[in-house]
Amino acid sequence: MARNQEEHHLLSTEIVNRGMESPSGSMTFSVRVRRRLPDFVQSVNLKYVKLGYHYLINHGIYLATIPVLVLVFSAEVGSLSREELWRKLWDSTARYDLATVLAFFGVFVFTLSVYFMSRPRSVYLLDFACYRPHDDLKVSKEKLIEQARKSGKFDEASLQFQERILESSGIGDETYVPKAIMSGENCSTMKEGRAEASMVMFGALDELFEKTRVRPKDVGVLVVNCSIFNPTPSLSAMIINHYKMRGNILSFNLGGMGCSAGIIALDLARDMLQANPNNYAVVVSTEMVGYNWYPGKERSMLIPNCFFRMGCSALLLSNCRPDYRRAKYCLEHIVRTHKGADDRSFRKLVVESKALIGPSYIPERVRKTKANSRKASITLCVYQKEDEQRFKGIMVSKDLMEIGGDALKTNITTLGPLVLPFSEQLLFFATLVWRHFLFGTGGGGSSAGSQDSNSKPYIPDYKLAFEHFCVHAASKTVLDELQRNLELSDKNMEASRTTLHRFGNTSSSSIWYELAYLEAKQRVKRGDRVWQLAFGSGFKCNSAVWRSLRSITKPPTNNNPWL
């Protein structure tokens, strides 16, 4: 019952197609039911702070004993004069002979060595590169629609729909698309896909190897992620063949994992480095725009045409301790969330309107209409399929943030205890426990609404944990919703919005274009923490946290895409 009330609370209705005439001559209208984005900062469940609770309990012994020891030591030392203190130290040292002192020192060194050798090796980001295509591949929104009209693949209604989406997308007039899209031929061929993959991947890797001065044969781990285009031999095999990498390289090719696959590939590379010490790992994140181009009429499948653009990123990771001196960042945390077990996040549901539209959350004038008897098709996913004309494409819901709200909430509240300052964790947990015991756990919608504003849980300030934010540049609507729910400033979102405007949605590589933007602005200082947040089909939401090892003070060079 409580879950149904929660579901009803997240639904909103609006009347569309008002005043349309049916075949029988009567005036009809349609009702659109959509899920609102859950306020995942306000509606944190107690189970999501379990990690934080254990973290505080595990470290509670230090918080309780260290202040007591400091007070006792201070009182003891403060009561002695300098001469008495030196006399006590000399007398206690003189009691032991040289063999005892050496034995104690040996045990201390052995214990310290075992401790450091058993710790997981740190993973360093030596450098990264983001590919910027040639200027002859630039396309404005107006030119894109003009070329689409000339190709003859779209009817006028589809062109007008894409034009409206582009105008409100937040994308600028200098993004890049493959030449095959601008031609009238079929660009969704393996040949065109391989050509685009070679262009973006080899371009990014050439820049990476030039910047780091690392030979391709020195790389021991290679991870490539591309969601849609997965040829045989694989994209990782293409890279190994092109750069003549060594025969015992550990190569992986991740496909079908959406826009959050860049962090998944990073997580895999980290695990491989932990198992293979003193090694280099390269992670390549990209997506093939031409191979995903949809020439049909279904509107939910036309949306990717408006947002996705060419792009590729390449990272060089190392677990060699001497590389600490020349590395840019150290990887601190990766948090992955997968909601694929929930059908609402995985596929498209078709339900009866009566089961969805109830008296408790629909206007009276709508309940009295015949619209309740119609079927409502609700797109709750990012899903690859074929339309009625057998054209393949990716169906993307315009309400993507409403779909991924649960995954975002889970990921963010799991990450919080790992990165938030102790003061924020303590306040957050204390107010949450207070609410739990004061109002109970049942609480339907009416009881929650009757609580005053002072009863709301304390909202952690993530700006205290991170200096920089790199949120996947999916669309303007997505960025607006995330900024509002996380209470971020315009400056926090500047890198994401600028990347969307300049390069469009480059899928899994977008978070690296955003970090390159922050470096080009020389905003990254030593000790700063960077939060990369990505989400995609499945539905998945993943976070990566980096700590800067040095300040980026040099102006951008030819290898920076923001030059």
Side-chain angles (χ1 to χ4, degrees):
M1 182 63 181
R3 179 172 178 81
N4 290 337
Q5 291 177 347
E6 182 183 356
E7 290 294 327
H8 293 179
H9 176 68
L10 293 177
L11 294 174
S12 63
T13 59
E14 61 176 315
I15 299 176
V16 295
N17 299 327
R18 187 191 304 268
M20 293 184 63
E21 185 174 351
S22 66
S24 61
S26 60
M27 302 301 290
T28 64
F29 58 88
S30 302
V31 178
R32 176 184 296 166
V33 182
R34 60 173 62 186
R35 287 173 57 88
R36 293 194 298 268
L37 172 66
D39 196 344
F40 44 82
V41 185
Q42 293 281 359
S43 60
V44 178
N45 195 297
L46 185 63
K47 65 181 179 181
Y48 292 138
V49 294
K50 197 176 199 180
L51 180 62
Y53 171 76
H54 287 296
Y55 180 86
L56 296 177
I57 293 300
N58 292 338
H59 293 78
I61 185 65
Y62 304 111
L63 301 174
T65 57
I66 290 179
V68 174
L69 293 175
V70 171
L71 289 175
V72 172
F73 180 77
S74 301
E76 179 69 20
V77 174
S79 62
L80 300 175
S81 64
R82 183 178 301 178
E83 292 78 9
E84 293 174 336
L85 179 62
W86 278 108
R87 190 182 303 113
K88 279 183 172 290
L89 291 175
W90 179 257
D91 291 343
S92 60
T93 306
R95 297 176 188 173
Y96 303 101
D97 55 11
L98 182 60
T100 305
V101 174
L102 291 177
F104 174 79
F105 183 74
V107 170
F108 175 75
V109 171
F110 176 77
T111 304
L112 204 63
S113 302
V114 170
Y115 170 74
F116 281 107
M117 292 177 65
S118 62
R119 289 181 61 192
R121 285 176 173 264
S122 298
V123 175
Y124 305 112
L125 174 63
L126 299 188
D127 214 328
F128 65 97
C130 297
Y131 179 65
R132 186 176 68 179
H134 299 295
D135 288 344
D136 58 350
L137 298 178
K138 279 185 182 180
V139 61
S140 64
K141 291 178 286 188
E142 181 180 353
K143 184 179 178 181
L144 185 66
I145 296 297
E146 179 185 347
Q147 292 294 333
R149 179 177 284 107
K150 290 181 179 179
S151 68
K153 297 178 181 179
F154 305 96
D155 57 18
E156 192 61 31
S158 298
L159 291 170
Q160 291 178 2
F161 173 76
Q162 293 181 80
E163 189 172 7
R164 289 197 304 270
I165 293 294
L166 282 170
E167 288 302 321
S168 60
S169 63
I171 295 177
D173 290 327
E174 293 189 349
T175 58
Y176 303 93
V177 297
K179 285 186 176 180
I181 290 179
M182 297 291 100
S183 65
E185 301 176 0
N186 180 18
C187 58
S188 300
T189 63
M190 297 296 290
K191 179 181 178 181
E192 294 294 344
R194 289 181 184 276
E196 182 182 350
S198 300
M199 181 193 306
V200 297
M201 292 194 309
F202 299 157
L205 286 169
D206 287 345
E207 293 181 11
L208 179 69
F209 291 135
E210 180 182 352
K211 291 167 71 173
T212 59
R213 304 299 180 186
V214 172
R215 300 180 307 165
K217 286 187 176 294
D218 294 333
V219 176
V221 179
L222 173 65
V223 184
V224 181
N225 71 269
C226 181
S227 185
I228 301 299
F229 183 64
N230 291 285
T232 301
S234 65
L235 297 178
S236 59
M238 289 175 58
I239 294 174
I240 293 171
N241 175 263
H242 181 79
Y243 291 100
K244 309 303 178 187
M245 293 180 168
R246 64 196 199 193
N248 62 344
I249 189 172
L250 302 176
S251 65
F252 303 88
N253 200 94
L254 306 182
M257 305 197 76
C259 298
S260 64
I263 296 180
I264 299 175
L266 176 65
D267 190 24
L268 176 59
R270 179 188 64 172
D271 292 343
M272 290 298 101
L273 287 177
Q274 295 293 357
N276 298 272
N278 299 319
N279 229 320
Y280 289 119
V282 168
V283 177
V284 179
S285 300
T286 186
E287 191 58 78
M288 301 303 111
V289 178
Y291 193 75
N292 302 331
W293 202 254
Y294 172 68
K297 301 178 181 179
E298 190 166 330
R299 294 193 171 186
S300 63
M301 300 173 70
L302 286 169
I303 294 176
N305 290 3
C306 303
F307 286 98
F308 285 97
R309 298 292 186 269
M310 292 179 67
C312 181
S313 64
L315 332 174
L316 181 63
L317 306 172
S318 172
N319 60 359
C320 304
R321 291 193 175 97
D323 284 332
Y324 172 86
R325 293 187 295 270
R326 69 184 185 118
K328 280 187 173 182
Y329 303 93
C330 178
L331 181 60
E332 290 196 338
H333 304 289
I334 291 180
V335 175
R336 292 171 54 182
T337 302
H338 202 307
K339 292 290 184 177
D342 188 351
D343 283 343
R344 296 173 302 169
S345 300
F346 180 74
R347 59 189 173 92
K348 185 176 182 181
L349 303 180
V350 180
V351 298
E352 291 287 347
S353 295
K354 282 184 176 179
L356 187 65
I357 305 176
S360 60
Y361 48 93
I362 188 170
E364 179 72 22
R365 66 182 185 278
V366 178
R367 293 203 299 269
K368 293 180 179 179
T369 65
K370 296 181 180 180
N372 290 353
S373 62
R374 298 181 180 179
K375 285 187 176 181
S377 176
I378 307 174
T379 303
L380 297 174
C381 54
V382 179
Y383 206 86
Q384 186 182 19
K385 67 168 193 174
E386 295 176 341
D387 64 7
E388 295 178 353
Q389 299 176 286
R390 311 298 294 173
F391 291 130
K392 67 176 178 65
I394 305 174
M395 180 179 62
V396 177
S397 170
K398 291 183 292 184
D399 305 320
L400 187 62
M401 281 302 299
E402 301 172 13
I403 301 167
D406 288 339
L408 287 166
K409 180 178 69 173
T410 304
N411 187 270
I412 290 172
T413 52
T414 305
L415 177 68
L418 299 175
V419 297
L420 287 169
F422 176 75
S423 59
E424 288 293 301
Q425 295 186 46
L426 191 60
L427 284 171
F428 176 60
F429 182 72
T431 53
L432 193 67
V433 171
W434 173 256
R435 279 174 49 86
H436 180 72
F437 288 107
L438 184 62
F439 299 104
T441 57
S446 60
S447 63
S450 63
Q451 300 172 15
D452 58 12
S453 60
N454 294 329
S455 68
K456 292 182 179 180
Y458 178 75
I459 308 305
D461 187 0
Y462 285 89
K463 295 188 291 295
L464 296 177
F466 307 105
E467 285 75 25
H468 309 287
F469 297 80
C470 297
V471 180
H472 169 48
S475 69
K476 182 178 181 296
T477 303
V478 169
L479 297 180
D480 289 342
E481 289 291 335
L482 275 170
Q483 180 177 4
R484 180 179 62 84
N485 278 270
L486 292 178
E487 300 177 359
L488 301 178
S489 66
D490 291 338
K491 187 174 182 180
N492 296 143
M493 300 296 293
E494 181 182 330
S496 300
R497 294 189 187 279
T498 309
T499 297
L500 179 65
H501 182 269
R502 176 63 180 83
F503 291 98
N505 183 345
T506 59
S507 190
S508 55
S509 63
S510 67
I511 54 178
W512 295 103
Y513 284 86
E514 294 162 17
L515 186 55
Y517 174 83
L518 295 172
E519 290 189 356
K521 288 287 186 178
Q522 303 177 38
R523 293 181 182 173
V524 181
K525 308 301 179 184
R526 180 183 176 90
D528 286 357
R529 289 210 283 185
V530 181
W531 181 17
Q532 292 180 323
L533 177 64
F535 36 85
S537 60
F539 192 86
K540 298 182 289 292
C541 179
N542 303 314
S543 293
V545 178
W546 300 90
R547 178 170 52 85
S548 175
L549 300 179
R550 55 188 170 94
S551 299
I552 309 298
T553 56
K554 295 182 179 180
T557 63
N558 291 332
N559 291 326
N560 191 298
W562 295 97
L563 181 64

